[in-house]
Amino acid sequence: DRGFWMKNTLIPLDMIFVDAEGRIINIEETVPEPNTSDEDLKTYRSDAPAKYVIETNSSFTERRNVEEGDRVVIPTRYR
């Protein structure tokens, strides 16, 4: 699995964990939570082996109805 600690991230993000076939494994929304102290920051992890992590503005996944199991197209130059 992949894990990220979001220290010094100035804006809340959604993190989309994607496997090698482009399937969304899991989504972590609004990370880190606004005004979280360093001591309270957590590590965000994929639920299964992930090849990619896509970071978007917070609430992107909710507004666009992005869900676990959906597929994304990764351009060849990034594979």
Side-chain angles (χ1 to χ4, degrees), residues 26-77:
N26 63 298
I27 300 168
E28 294 285 347
E29 295 179 324
T30 312
V31 297
E33 294 178 13
N35 303 315
T36 303
S37 68
D38 286 354
E39 306 82 48
D40 293 329
L41 288 173
K42 73 176 214 175
T43 300
Y44 298 93
R45 297 195 170 282
S46 60
D47 292 343
K51 184 169 184 180
Y52 308 100
V53 177
I54 301 169
E55 294 180 348
T56 65
N57 289 335
S58 179
S59 301
F60 173 88
T61 55
E62 182 179 338
R63 287 191 318 272
R64 301 289 181 151
N65 297 314
V66 176
E67 299 178 345
E68 294 174 10
D70 287 352
R71 294 201 177 262
V72 297
V73 175
I74 308 294
T76 305
R77 68 177 176 231

